[in-house]
Amino acid sequence: MDTLNSAKPQTLHTSFQTIALVGKPRNDINLQMHKNLFFWLIERGYHVLVEQDIGKKIELPPKHLASLEEIGKSAQLAIVIGGDGNMLGRARILAEYHIPLIGINRGNLGFLTDIDPKNAYSQLQACLENGEFFVEERFLLKACVERDNEIIASSIAVNEAVIHPAKIAHMIDFHVHINDQFAFSQRSDGLIISTPTGSTAYSLSAGGPILTPQLNAIALVPMFPHTLSSRPLVVDGNSKISIRFAEYNTSQLELGCDSQVALQFGPDDIIHIQKCDYPLRLLHLKSYNYYKVLSSKLGWLRNFS
């Protein structure tokens, strides 16, 4: 596959031979879409792999069943059926294998799932047979827990890494260092460290800024800070962010990634967050317009007639 520039979407000049269907449906309607789409792709000559649990439910032959890791090694494209949560869960695993993902929206907001289920087949045909698509790279975050000079746990975040107490209604005191230089201290319910992709997710609800996807930037957004002077901070995307905790913090703490992965740690541990070594590759329809999606999802559209 062509090498892509993260700052500028480019067209991918290659054909797809093996296509994967992934995502856990909420109901039988979504299961039917997996089944219909599987046979639609087979009829067009593609080799199709389906995430194991789903493939078993729709009674597909074993040769079409695969784990996410096997899909990452074998497929040239993954189609995610579901909402943004499904996309986030699959992206954290499949991004490491550098295959592009495209989503059919079966959720609510659908910031990351481009394809309308009502027009899924015509839009996929435009992508797969007419080459009417481009691939965009979005950077990910790697979050690590350090204890006694050793990394004891880590995870990838597509949207954000969040530091907060394991118990609700507890405030924490912490110090933030950026590139090994002290930046600020804070007493709050926690801290959101967001990618541009995640700037329209949890970060936005906490008052963080919207960062367009091509920005090489990370947003640090306090959660209910104790002082009115605490404000979101945007730093360079290549920054290394380290968080240390005050000695009198006694409760267990938690590092959450995309609200799907939770790493427990103690107040003596250090959290390190920085850009991941590999990006997420999203396949978009050629008609994709980020600002149109933003306006639609956030209700910014206005009729002047």
Side-chain angles (χ1 to χ4, degrees):
M1 293 186 179
D2 296 344
T3 300
L4 300 175
N5 186 331
S6 60
K8 184 180 179 181
Q10 299 182 23
T11 301
L12 193 68
H13 298 288
T14 187
S15 59
F16 303 116
Q17 297 177 346
T18 301
I19 297 176
L21 301 179
V22 301
K24 291 184 178 179
R26 294 178 181 176
N27 52 51
D28 290 340
I29 294 175
N30 289 8
L31 262 182
Q32 190 61 47
M33 171 161 275
H34 278 77
K35 194 169 186 177
N36 293 345
L37 189 52
F38 171 82
F39 288 110
W40 185 85
L41 290 168
I42 289 290
E43 288 173 0
R44 280 155 179 78
Y46 297 101
H47 176 53
V48 185
L49 297 175
V50 180
E51 196 172 349
Q52 277 179 337
D53 291 347
I54 302 303
K56 289 178 181 178
K57 287 182 179 179
I58 57 178
E59 300 179 340
L60 296 180
K63 68 177 182 179
H64 293 290
L65 308 184
S67 66
L68 287 175
E69 290 76 11
E70 291 168 337
I71 285 170
K73 293 175 182 178
S74 303
Q76 290 86 46
L77 173 67
I79 300 173
V80 184
I81 302 175
D84 285 342
N86 274 279
M87 177 65 81
L88 292 172
R90 276 61 189 174
R92 278 197 307 275
I93 296 173
L94 294 176
E96 184 177 0
Y97 299 94
H98 308 291
I99 68 169
L101 288 77
I102 188 168
I104 298 177
N105 184 22
R106 281 290 183 178
N108 295 318
L109 281 176
F111 269 104
L112 297 176
T113 49
D114 289 8
I115 292 182
D116 179 356
K118 295 178 182 178
N119 302 307
Y121 298 104
S122 61
Q123 291 180 339
L124 283 173
Q125 184 172 353
C127 286
L128 302 177
E129 298 180 13
N130 302 333
E132 297 176 7
F133 66 88
F134 65 91
V135 173
E136 176 191 35
E137 292 192 345
R138 306 268 186 105
F139 77 79
L140 310 173
L141 294 176
K142 184 173 183 179
C144 302
V145 179
E146 178 187 332
R147 179 176 298 164
D148 298 327
N149 298 314
E150 181 182 351
I151 301 299
I152 62 166
S154 65
S155 183
I156 302 300
V158 179
N159 275 349
E160 72 279 308
V162 181
I163 295 164
H164 60 90
K167 295 181 179 179
I168 62 172
H170 281 256
M171 298 192 87
I172 54 175
D173 288 82
F174 53 90
H175 312 292
V176 177
H177 290 73
I178 298 173
N179 296 327
D180 299 320
Q181 294 185 329
F182 173 76
F184 61 88
S185 294
Q186 191 172 98
R187 187 165 191 253
S188 67
D189 282 8
L191 183 68
I192 302 169
I193 300 97
S194 170
T195 65
T197 301
S199 68
T200 52
Y202 194 14
S203 171
L204 185 64
S205 69
I210 294 176
L211 307 177
T212 56
Q214 290 77 32
L215 280 177
N216 184 35
I218 298 171
L220 286 75
V221 182
M223 300 168 61
F224 299 103
H226 195 255
T227 59
L228 294 176
S229 60
S230 293
R231 291 291 182 267
L233 175 66
V234 178
V235 300
D236 184 89
N238 295 321
S239 301
K240 177 184 177 183
I241 301 163
S242 300
I243 300 104
R244 294 171 170 82
F245 302 86
E247 294 178 359
Y248 49 81
N249 286 312
T250 57
S251 61
Q252 275 293 109
L253 303 169
E254 190 170 286
L255 171 62
C257 292
D258 299 330
S259 300
Q260 295 181 344
V261 177
L263 306 177
Q264 304 289 328
F265 67 96
D268 294 329
D269 299 329
I270 303 172
I271 301 300
H272 300 291
I273 297 170
Q274 63 188 67
K275 185 186 291 186
C276 184
D277 293 337
Y278 50 83
L280 167 64
R281 308 174 84 226
L282 294 175
L283 188 147
H284 296 297
L285 303 169
K286 272 196 173 176
S287 59
Y288 173 82
N289 180 326
Y290 172 77
Y291 297 102
K292 184 177 179 181
V293 173
L294 194 65
S295 297
S296 173
K297 303 302 180 183
L298 298 183
W300 290 354
L301 297 175
R302 185 177 173 188
N303 188 348
F304 288 98
S305 60

